Amino acid sequence: MEKKNIDWGNLGFAYMKTDSRYVSYWRNGSWDDGAMIGEADVTISESAGVLQYSQTCFEGLKAYTTEDGHIVTFRPDMNAQRMTETTQRLLMPSFPNERFIDALEKVVKANAAYVPPYGSGATLYIRPFLFGSGPVIGVAPSPEYTFRMFCTPVGPYFKGGVKPLRLQVSDYDRAAPNGTGHIKAGLNYAMSLYAGHVAHKNGFAENMFLDAATHTLVEETGGANFIFVTKDGKVVTPKSKTILPSITRRSLMQVARDYLHLETEERAVPLSEVSSFAECGLCGTAAVISPVYSIKTAKGEITFPSGEEKMGPVIQKLYDTLTGIQMGRIPAPEGWIHTIV
Ligand SMILES: *Cc1c(COP(=O)(O)O)cnc(C)c1O
């Protein structure tokens, strides 16, 4: 198969239209057979549930080329299951998990020419999404739904080297105690755009959100979960019902335990404890881990001893081990690597 003529190493994180995508419609109580189509544009009712009341959710995962030349994805069963849990909370019909995997295989195979070569640092980002496409005017779940999955090649995350991030504690809240913070709903992102804009205007890469009820506990950034390393080498991640359960973070905690033999803790993390940590990182599919250099709080700026230039030693080991597992250089736990071709 001939690859597309793309400058893989210089791709950013932006949408590029690829050859084909998967679509399935839910009407009269069931999903149709689904199909791969060429048309990228979506035509729906002006009164569609997604347009009027934001009834939509999404997932994000990557396909990439391993050292031995296979195209694989990482734990896609976890994305399928998380989307099922999201749809339940938004009163949308779930797309069956095994059909999610089937759609993924079709999308990646049909667009294999867009999967970046091994060593380029680039990956194929896959975006499954499900939305209310039937008309509503009174507030109610949509009578019809659309599941789609497209892909787009994206560049290496740390282009030009790793640069530890500067964060600020946000004055805004991301998730209410019994709200929707734990699901991958589009609405969680719409309402975070303004807080992100304020952070960028103030010169910070991301917001650290605190728990909405007490403003004392660390939650997440709204696109990535936190992991911290204590001065005695324990890996700690905040536990909260309003954090989105990152697949990367759950995988890193397992890597810390089973590969690096480190102690791990998932527990409430008070903001007041953060200045005692040795390392801090953000985890998500896009970067795997982005190191954090500093966090501006109402009481001043916290900086981590790992510094402004590089990842701290434990975060570096976690990063190297998980990316090694993903790229096929290190043996993976059972079921983590889903080979497509
Ligand atoms: C998707 C997402 C993450 C990262 O999850 P991964 O499964 O690791 O990609 C973290 N926080 C929020 C709010 C998210 O939507």
Side-chain angles (χ1 to χ4, degrees):
M1 175 254 323
E2 185 122 1
K3 292 284 178 189
K4 299 281 172 179
N5 184 18
I6 293 172
D7 183 4
W8 307 106
N10 284 313
L11 281 172
F13 195 85
Y15 175 73
M16 176 191 291
K17 188 155 100 183
T18 55
D19 294 342
S20 53
R21 64 278 302 134
Y22 181 90
V23 59
S24 181
Y25 298 104
W26 189 90
R27 293 184 182 115
N28 304 317
S30 63
W31 291 103
D32 70 8
D33 290 342
M36 291 298 296
I37 59 165
E39 178 56 52
D41 291 347
V42 178
T43 304
I44 50 173
S45 165
E46 63 188 349
S47 201
V50 56
L51 299 179
Q52 301 310 322
Y53 304 123
S54 302
Q55 203 185 14
T56 182
C57 68
F58 67 99
E59 273 298 327
L61 67 162
K62 286 170 164 182
Y64 43 91
T65 309
T66 55
E67 192 166 27
D68 60 359
H70 289 289
I71 296 176
V72 305
T73 56
F74 183 69
R75 308 187 78 180
D77 53 313
M78 305 279 277
N79 296 96
Q81 180 56 29
R82 191 168 63 186
M83 185 175 243
T84 291
E85 284 158 21
T86 297
T87 53
Q88 287 164 354
R89 178 66 175 79
L90 294 176
L91 271 185
M92 305 202 280
S94 301
F95 195 68
N97 291 6
E98 65 284 0
R99 287 196 57 193
F100 181 105
I101 301 294
D102 176 60
L104 173 69
E105 292 184 348
K106 289 190 165 97
V107 168
V108 175
K109 278 184 190 154
N111 295 289
Y114 291 94
V115 181
Y118 176 76
S120 66
T123 55
L124 187 74
Y125 184 75
I126 299 148
R127 170 53 59 88
F129 59 119
L130 199 164
F131 58 95
S133 43
V136 291
I137 197 71
V139 176
S142 179
E144 292 176 7
Y145 294 85
T146 303
F147 172 85
R148 293 177 73 107
M149 193 186 291
F150 69 80
C151 62
T152 190
V154 296
Y157 195 85
F158 297 117
K159 226 183 320 186
V162 172
K163 180 83 187 122
L165 304 175
R166 300 180 64 224
L167 315 186
Q168 68 166 14
V169 172
S170 182
D171 293 334
Y172 298 94
D173 294 329
R174 188 187 89 87
N178 295 300
T180 56
H182 60 299
I183 61 166
K184 228 170 163 71
L187 55 91
N188 289 341
Y189 284 79
M191 66 82 213
S192 76
L193 292 175
Y194 187 76
H197 165 76
V198 171
H200 296 155
K201 211 175 55 182
N202 293 344
F204 299 99
E206 295 282 352
N207 283 303
M208 169 187 269
F209 289 103
L210 302 179
D211 76 295
T214 72
H215 286 178
T216 59
L217 303 172
V218 176
E219 292 256 309
E220 61 160 307
T221 65
N225 287 179
F226 280 100
I227 52 169
F228 300 101
V229 182
T230 63
K231 291 211 168 96
D232 58 356
K234 273 189 216 139
V235 182
V236 178
T237 193
K239 183 181 175 116
S240 157
K241 282 195 310 192
T242 48
I243 292 176
L244 190 287
S246 157
I247 296 163
T248 315
R249 184 256 302 163
R250 287 180 275 168
S251 304
L252 285 165
M253 295 302 276
Q254 194 171 328
V255 164
R257 275 191 306 274
D258 298 349
Y259 285 71
L260 305 180
H261 309 293
L262 298 171
E263 249 185 85
T264 62
E265 289 176 355
E266 185 177 353
R267 59 165 169 85
V269 176
L271 179 62
S272 59
E273 185 185 355
V274 171
S275 60
S276 73
F277 292 133
E279 301 178 41
C280 173
L282 299 178
C283 8
T285 294
V288 178
I289 313 183
S290 304
V292 173
Y293 166 58
S294 69
I295 304 169
K296 185 177 168 291
T297 75
K299 291 188 183 142
E301 188 154 62
I302 298 167
T303 58
F304 296 98
S306 49
E308 243 178 310
E309 301 301 328
K310 55 180 186 357
M311 293 190 185
V314 175
I315 283 185
Q316 182 76 55
K317 256 189 245 162
L318 284 167
Y319 178 84
D320 291 345
T321 310
L322 187 57
T323 53
I325 289 169
Q326 291 179 331
M327 291 297 165
R329 298 186 294 262
I330 296 174
E334 179 73 32
W336 278 24
I337 303 299
H338 183 88
T339 302
I340 291 181
V341 286

